[in-house]
Amino acid sequence: MGATDPPPVTDRMSAPKRPLVGVTRRLPEPVEAALRERFEVRGPDTQRALDSGELLALLKECDALLPTVTDRLDAAVIGAAGPRCRLFANFGVGVNHIDLAAATNAGIIVTNTPDVLTDDTADLAMALMLATLRRLGEGERAVRAGRWDGWHPTQFLGRRLTGKTLGIVGLGRIGRAVAKRAEGGFGMKVLAWSRSKRRGSEAGTRIERVSKLDQLLEASDIVSIHCPLVPTTRHLIGRPQFARMKADAVLINTARGPVVDEAALVEALETEMIAGAGLDVYEDEPRVHPGLVGRENVVLLPHLGSATQEGRVAMGLRALDNLVAHFAGQEPPDKVN
Ligand code: NAP
């Protein structure tokens, strides 16, 4: 057979059909290339999120879906999807946008991308602490607006991060990575409260676990949220919790917006129940509560927790690992249901 001859008909017929993976968003180029090497890939060629009709159409025709945080995969969508798709290989560690019970009932495996975004998200939490306490947003806005008239001794005085008490809500991968930075880099005292409600010092660290959330709120200069959004953590931090916090404390949220009651946060800021907030996530993204936008003592980021080039490629390749394992008939390494 010459080099340019087509393969014999029998070979062409027996070539295994590659699984079709639906990808809901454009991903970093190396991830898209790696996906195309292994699978047939279908997805949008624009940067916008799919609307619910487009999402359902993609779901119906693919063998697996690679969704992101902006895709709402609720019971209605899963129920209408038909039998073909058997895996949601989520691009991200948080899976609150997927109805896990509905997926499980429909026989759909859900996976996420833990670990590879831990350091980036912890770095961003530290950046928000510094930005909020040291008034970086205010200073930057003043320089850009031409309102800066030179150094003077009482200008934009913030507060020192070093040595403060940090309260971590949800001591998992990211919570621990934040604790390590806070203790090792900033000499902070670290308290933690988590679902397991363990008490006492955490082995191998100087983290002090408290059994009641109120204890942490009352003692912390900075409260940083790192638990997932699940029914029991929705509005975990609301009016009663702000009332427990110190008047000069700040709230940092890099987890999920609805863990914090945003209307109560605005009220707490307006009434000076707390001194500021650093937010990466919001209750109804991309909408930001109008009571936050105009406030100088609030730092607002557009959901950047894992947004590094290295992290986003690693997340994509981790989702790919789960797809490859699934289609090889193995249990995907990051199964969450
Ligand atoms: P993780 O390792 O699973 O840690 C979550 C922690 O929250 C665990 O320590 C767990 O406590 C605690 N927890 C779970 N359910 C709870 C409940 N009902 N009440 C109180 N605490 C509870 O997850 P991770 O990798 O650190 O990620 C944490 C979250 O960060 C994700 O779910 C995601 O929503 C968010 N995130 C955001 C960004 C961003 O872009 N801003 C990026 C990455 C992740 P126990 O250990 O006691 O069980």
Side-chain angles (χ1 to χ4, degrees):
M1 196 171 71
T4 53
D5 292 343
V9 171
T10 46
D11 284 5
R12 273 188 277 152
M13 287 177 70
S14 61
K17 210 166 158 256
R18 302 201 310 169
L20 178 63
V21 175
V23 178
T24 65
R25 304 299 299 256
R26 294 305 309 265
L27 298 172
E29 217 295 304
V31 177
E32 291 189 342
L35 282 166
R36 282 195 303 268
E37 254 174 46
R38 307 294 293 249
F39 303 109
E40 293 304 311
V41 178
R42 192 153 305 161
D45 49 16
T46 70
Q47 292 291 354
R48 71 172 174 83
L50 299 181
D51 65 32
S52 54
E54 292 167 326
L55 179 61
L56 183 57
L58 184 62
L59 189 50
K60 279 180 173 170
E61 67 180 5
C62 64
D63 300 305
L65 189 74
L66 194 157
T68 73
V69 66
T70 53
D71 301 308
R72 197 174 152 79
L73 291 159
D74 58 18
V77 172
I78 291 170
R84 184 163 172 185
C85 181
R86 284 283 157 266
L87 173 71
F88 294 162
N90 188 56
F91 181 85
V93 71
V95 288
N96 52 283
H97 53 292
I98 302 173
D99 187 325
L100 292 181
T104 306
N105 286 338
I108 298 169
I109 295 170
V110 180
T111 63
N112 67 350
T113 60
D115 303 317
V116 289
L117 41 57
T118 296
D119 286 327
D120 293 327
T121 311
D123 288 351
L124 196 89
M126 297 311 299
L128 274 174
M129 287 180 214
L130 283 166
T132 308
L133 260 71
R134 297 295 301 273
R135 303 171 63 178
L136 302 190
E138 267 183 275
E140 223 248 356
R141 284 189 288 278
V143 173
R144 284 181 189 274
R147 283 188 276 107
W148 182 47
D149 56 2
W151 186 92
H152 65 84
T154 58
Q155 186 180 51
F156 289 124
L157 299 190
R159 283 181 303 135
R160 181 182 292 160
L161 184 62
T162 300
K164 293 283 188 297
T165 298
L166 169 65
I168 292 186
V169 176
L171 190 63
R173 289 172 290 253
I174 297 169
R176 283 172 202 280
V178 170
K180 193 171 154 194
R181 285 157 174 74
E183 270 187 347
F186 294 90
M188 296 171 81
K189 177 176 176 187
V190 181
L191 305 176
W193 175 85
S194 224
R195 171 177 54 183
S196 44
K197 299 189 171 55
R198 288 212 300 276
R199 275 195 310 178
S201 45
E202 177 76 5
T205 71
R206 281 178 288 139
I207 303 170
E208 181 73 23
R209 281 182 176 263
V210 294
S211 59
K212 290 197 167 44
L213 178 58
D214 281 353
Q215 281 174 269
L216 176 141
L217 298 171
E218 285 164 9
S220 300
D221 300 304
I222 296 129
V223 173
S224 192
I225 317 274
H226 300 289
C227 60
L229 172 61
V230 291
T232 50
T233 60
R234 184 173 292 272
H235 286 193
L236 180 70
I237 307 294
R239 195 172 196 291
Q241 288 70 37
F242 289 120
R244 293 275 181 180
M245 287 173 66
K246 295 181 181 182
D248 61 358
V250 302
L251 177 80
I252 304 296
N253 190 5
T254 56
R256 284 291 181 263
V259 176
V260 175
D261 178 342
E262 229 164 57
L265 170 62
V266 170
E267 187 200 347
L269 291 163
E270 275 169 3
T271 58
E272 298 181 7
M273 246 188 254
I274 66 168
L279 307 174
D280 186 42
V281 287
Y282 306 90
E283 271 206 78
D284 185 22
E285 294 178 12
R287 179 186 169 273
V288 179
H289 194 298
L292 295 170
V293 176
R295 300 200 69 85
E296 289 286 20
N297 57 347
V298 174
V299 178
L300 304 170
L301 299 182
H303 203 145
L304 294 180
S306 64
T308 65
Q309 291 175 12
E310 299 91 334
R312 290 284 163 85
V313 170
M315 286 163 66
L317 298 181
R318 187 89 176 217
L320 177 65
D321 288 346
N322 284 293
L323 286 160
V324 169
H326 173 73
F327 287 111
Q330 295 154 10
E331 171 138 319
D334 303 311
K335 191 170 176 241
V336 296
N337 66 337

